[in-house]
Amino acid sequence: MTDLERARCERDIAKFLERRRPPPHIRPKLDIGYRISGQSVEIFETRPDWQDPAENMEHPVAKARFVRTKKRWRIFWMRRDLKWHGYEPNLEVHSLEAFLHVVDRDEYCCFFG
Protein backbone atom coordinates (compact mmCIF):
# COMPACT_ATOMS: atom_id res chain seq x y z
CA MET A 1 0.00 0.00 0.00
CA THR A 2 1.37 3.42 -0.86
CA ASP A 3 1.57 6.17 1.74
CA LEU A 4 -1.35 7.98 0.10
CA GLU A 5 -3.51 4.82 0.09
CA ARG A 6 -2.62 4.16 3.71
CA ALA A 7 -3.55 7.72 4.70
CA ARG A 8 -6.92 7.34 2.94
CA CYS A 9 -7.52 4.05 4.76
CA GLU A 10 -6.71 5.59 8.13
CA ARG A 11 -9.03 8.54 7.40
CA ASP A 12 -11.92 6.25 6.41
CA ILE A 13 -11.39 3.94 9.39
CA ALA A 14 -11.26 6.93 11.77
CA LYS A 15 -14.72 8.00 10.54
CA PHE A 16 -16.00 4.44 11.02
CA LEU A 17 -14.58 4.25 14.55
CA GLU A 18 -16.18 7.58 15.48
CA ARG A 19 -19.58 6.04 14.77
CA ARG A 20 -18.96 2.55 16.21
CA ARG A 21 -16.80 3.07 19.31
CA PRO A 22 -18.60 2.87 22.64
CA PRO A 23 -18.79 5.93 24.90
CA PRO A 24 -15.49 6.92 26.59
CA HIS A 25 -16.49 5.59 30.02
CA ILE A 26 -17.03 2.08 28.54
CA ARG A 27 -13.82 1.91 26.48
CA PRO A 28 -11.63 0.43 29.23
CA LYS A 29 -13.96 -2.60 29.21
CA LEU A 30 -14.82 -2.70 25.49
CA ASP A 31 -13.32 -0.85 22.55
CA ILE A 32 -12.78 -1.21 18.82
CA GLY A 33 -9.41 -0.93 17.08
CA TYR A 34 -7.80 -1.66 13.75
CA ARG A 35 -4.51 -2.55 12.15
CA ILE A 36 -3.21 -2.16 8.63
CA SER A 37 -0.76 -4.81 7.52
CA GLY A 38 0.41 -4.96 3.92
CA GLN A 39 -2.72 -4.93 1.75
CA SER A 40 -5.05 -5.88 4.60
CA VAL A 41 -7.15 -3.96 7.10
CA GLU A 42 -8.39 -5.76 10.21
CA ILE A 43 -11.00 -4.48 12.66
CA PHE A 44 -11.10 -6.00 16.13
CA GLU A 45 -12.68 -5.55 19.56
CA THR A 46 -10.52 -5.25 22.66
CA ARG A 47 -11.62 -6.13 26.15
CA PRO A 48 -9.92 -7.24 29.37
CA ASP A 49 -8.97 -10.90 29.61
CA TRP A 50 -11.43 -12.64 31.92
CA GLN A 51 -8.60 -14.54 33.66
CA ASP A 52 -6.26 -11.55 33.97
CA PRO A 53 -8.08 -8.21 33.71
CA ALA A 54 -4.73 -6.38 33.50
CA GLU A 55 -4.24 -7.94 30.04
CA ASN A 56 -6.35 -7.03 26.99
CA MET A 57 -7.66 -9.56 24.51
CA GLU A 58 -8.41 -8.90 20.86
CA HIS A 59 -11.43 -10.44 19.16
CA PRO A 60 -11.33 -10.22 15.35
CA VAL A 61 -14.40 -8.61 13.80
CA ALA A 62 -13.74 -8.14 10.08
CA LYS A 63 -10.94 -8.10 7.54
CA ALA A 64 -10.55 -6.65 4.06
CA ARG A 65 -7.73 -7.36 1.66
CA PHE A 66 -7.03 -5.13 -1.33
CA VAL A 67 -6.58 -7.10 -4.55
CA ARG A 68 -4.62 -4.68 -6.69
CA THR A 69 -5.08 -6.62 -9.96
CA LYS A 70 -8.87 -6.33 -9.63
CA LYS A 71 -8.88 -2.97 -7.80
CA ARG A 72 -11.35 -4.47 -5.34
CA TRP A 73 -11.48 -5.19 -1.60
CA ARG A 74 -12.24 -8.77 -0.52
CA ILE A 75 -14.28 -9.05 2.68
CA PHE A 76 -13.69 -11.71 5.35
CA TRP A 77 -15.26 -12.63 8.67
CA MET A 78 -13.99 -14.97 11.34
CA ARG A 79 -16.09 -18.04 11.98
CA ARG A 80 -16.04 -20.06 15.16
CA ASP A 81 -13.29 -22.27 13.69
CA LEU A 82 -11.06 -19.17 14.14
CA LYS A 83 -10.32 -18.96 10.40
CA TRP A 84 -11.11 -16.10 8.04
CA HIS A 85 -13.87 -16.91 5.55
CA GLY A 86 -15.13 -14.91 2.59
CA TYR A 87 -18.24 -12.95 3.48
CA GLU A 88 -20.70 -14.64 1.10
CA PRO A 89 -23.31 -11.87 0.77
CA ASN A 90 -20.58 -9.42 -0.36
CA LEU A 91 -17.32 -11.13 -1.29
CA GLU A 92 -15.86 -8.01 -2.90
CA VAL A 93 -16.50 -4.28 -2.88
CA HIS A 94 -15.03 -1.39 -4.86
CA SER A 95 -13.71 0.70 -1.94
CA LEU A 96 -12.70 0.59 1.69
CA GLU A 97 -15.65 2.86 2.48
CA ALA A 98 -17.98 0.24 0.97
CA PHE A 99 -16.32 -2.44 3.14
CA LEU A 100 -16.83 -0.32 6.25
CA HIS A 101 -20.46 0.24 5.27
CA VAL A 102 -21.01 -3.54 4.98
CA VAL A 103 -19.39 -4.08 8.41
CA ASP A 104 -21.38 -1.23 9.96
CA ARG A 105 -24.70 -2.62 8.67
CA ASP A 106 -23.77 -6.18 9.75
CA GLU A 107 -26.90 -7.39 7.99
CA TYR A 108 -26.28 -11.09 8.79
CA CYS A 109 -24.77 -10.56 12.28
CA CYS A 110 -21.42 -12.04 11.21
CA PHE A 111 -19.18 -9.22 12.44
CA PHE A 112 -20.56 -7.91 15.72
CA GLY A 113 -22.94 -10.80 16.47
Side-chain angles (χ1 to χ4, degrees):
M1 214 178 277
T2 67
D3 290 339
L4 182 60
E5 290 170 334
R6 187 178 181 89
R8 274 192 210 129
C9 287
E10 289 176 351
R11 179 197 66 210
D12 292 345
I13 294 170
K15 288 180 196 174
F16 171 79
L17 291 179
E18 269 183 47
R19 288 190 312 271
R20 290 299 303 210
R21 283 182 84 187
H25 69 279
I26 295 175
R27 291 179 190 167
K29 295 190 185 256
L30 174 66
D31 204 356
I32 300 174
Y34 74 95
R35 76 174 53 86
I36 299 173
S37 176
Q39 302 286 38
S40 297
V41 173
E42 184 180 340
I43 298 170
F44 53 86
E45 288 182 342
T46 59
R47 54 181 79 215
D49 186 340
W50 65 277
Q51 291 178 327
D52 182 5
E55 296 287 322
N56 275 339
M57 293 175 44
E58 290 183 1
H59 300 278
V61 172
K63 182 177 179 177
R65 184 178 321 131
F66 185 63
V67 181
R68 192 168 295 283
T69 57
K70 292 183 174 183
K71 296 184 180 176
R72 312 266 301 162
W73 288 88
R74 292 208 38 146
I75 300 176
F76 299 92
W77 68 291
M78 187 165 286
R79 295 186 63 158
R80 64 181 165 187
D81 64 2
L82 301 179
K83 294 180 182 175
W84 291 109
H85 294 266
Y87 182 64
E88 287 294 329
N90 273 69
L91 285 174
E92 295 181 347
V93 291
H94 64 281
S95 69
L96 184 65
E97 281 182 323
F99 159 68
L100 295 171
H101 180 70
V102 168
V103 173
D104 197 30
R105 284 185 49 217
D106 198 10
E107 192 172 2
Y108 296 94
C109 300
C110 292
F111 303 116
F112 292 100

